[in-house]
Amino acid sequence: MSDTLAPTPSTPVFSLAAGGVATITLNRPAHRNRLENADLKALLHLFAQIDADPSIRVVVLTANTTDQPKPVFCAGYHIGGFGGEDESGSALFERVADALAVLHPVTICALNGSVYGGATDLVLACDLRVALDGIEFRMPATALGLHYYPSGLQRYVARLGVSAAKRAFLTARPFTAQMLWNTGCLEAVVPDVAAMDATVADLVQEVSALAPLAVRATKQSINEIATGQPNWPAMREREALTSESADFAEGRRAFAERRKPVFTGH
């Protein structure tokens, strides 16, 4: 997304546009958008706020890269936070990534810069990803002597596949945008910020046009399958709920009348 924020660093910035489209922007560009404990706690608060608002249909996660010589979406967790008396380090980071992964709206990462460390899991915790060409994506956990937290490992395997996950953790070598594209985890690789804005805007529009009740239910079921914990009875209930919904009736009418459906989420 375009860098339109003021240069003053802060915890992540939240905005809500018409149509239920929320944007969360990491906003410490001078420090390569590294995440401190205050940022992680702010993200948890924002995620709870989003989940409590059924009108929000899409969330875009991006970063302010103003005045950076090379754009960095996020340099990862500020390592000085490890070992404090308050909840910090991997435990807090894991809570944030896990909360992002199960948000009820569709989440889109506008990856407008390179990403490192735990922040790579925030990228993977989103449902869809658009990446700027020329970035790198690197997980240095084992180079620092760390076994990564379990849900993060699971996401790596689910999103990138076993071979790419092993490459990430067992070599600590960076991935290029093209290498990420080859894993199938990206919706698009774009050449510049203008193309990023246009591609994300188109993706938001397409997602917003879908039936929200069906999208939310289907996302929940896919997440369960991806984690190896499918709840088959609950999936059948979701299937029945959508088949009896006003949205499905509207979808059938719109198809018969050759027009775009107007969904209400009911």
Side-chain angles (χ1 to χ4, degrees), residues 68-83:
Q68 293 180 349
K70 291 185 178 180
V72 177
F73 174 88
C74 184
Y77 180 66
H78 179 38
I79 200 166
F82 278 101

Side-chain angles (χ1 to χ4, degrees), residues 25-234:
T25 306
L26 306 182
N27 192 41
R28 298 190 188 277
H31 293 97
R32 305 199 307 164
N33 292 308
R34 73 185 185 194
L35 292 166
E36 303 175 2
N37 283 349
D39 300 307
L40 298 178
K41 291 174 182 178
L43 285 171
L44 285 175
H45 175 77
L46 289 174
F47 295 161
Q49 178 183 331
I50 288 166
D51 253 346
D53 187 346
S55 72
I56 296 178
R57 304 276 299 278
V58 183
V59 176
V60 177
L61 177 65
T62 190
N64 181 359
T65 61
T66 301
D67 294 332
Q68 293 180 349
K70 291 185 178 180
V72 177
F73 174 88
C74 184
Y77 180 66
H78 179 38
I79 200 166
F82 278 101
E85 295 181 0
D86 195 10
E87 181 187 27
S88 61
S90 62
L92 182 55
F93 216 110
E94 184 173 18
R95 283 182 61 203
V96 173
D98 288 351
L100 175 58
V102 297
L103 284 182
H104 77 77
V106 173
T107 51
I108 299 170
C109 181
L111 187 57
N112 58 341
S114 294
V115 59
Y116 303 97
T120 61
D121 193 29
L122 297 185
V123 175
L124 298 180
C126 291
D127 299 313
L128 303 166
R129 289 155 287 276
V130 176
L132 187 67
D133 200 11
I135 67 161
E136 68 176 14
F137 175 106
R138 182 170 183 254
M139 168 47 73
T142 53
L144 296 172
L146 181 68
H147 179 292
Y148 207 54
Y149 54 80
S151 66
L153 288 174
Q154 181 276 325
R155 262 185 294 276
Y156 259 82
V157 173
R159 305 296 191 271
L160 304 183
V162 173
S163 295
K166 284 187 174 181
R167 183 189 186 280
F169 285 93
L170 304 186
T171 72
R173 291 176 175 175
F175 287 71
T176 64
Q178 187 60 52
M179 292 168 71
L180 291 177
W181 170 262
N182 291 340
T183 70
C185 80
L186 297 179
E187 189 67 22
V189 176
V190 297
D192 52 40
V193 172
M196 172 73 74
D197 286 351
T199 301
V200 172
D202 287 346
L203 190 55
V204 167
Q205 184 175 19
E206 291 173 12
V207 170
S208 298
L210 302 175
L213 183 65
V215 167
R216 182 173 182 172
T218 302
K219 173 177 173 173
Q220 188 172 357
S221 295
I222 291 172
N223 281 345
E224 290 172 1
I225 294 169
T227 58
Q229 299 175 321
N231 186 333
W232 302 113

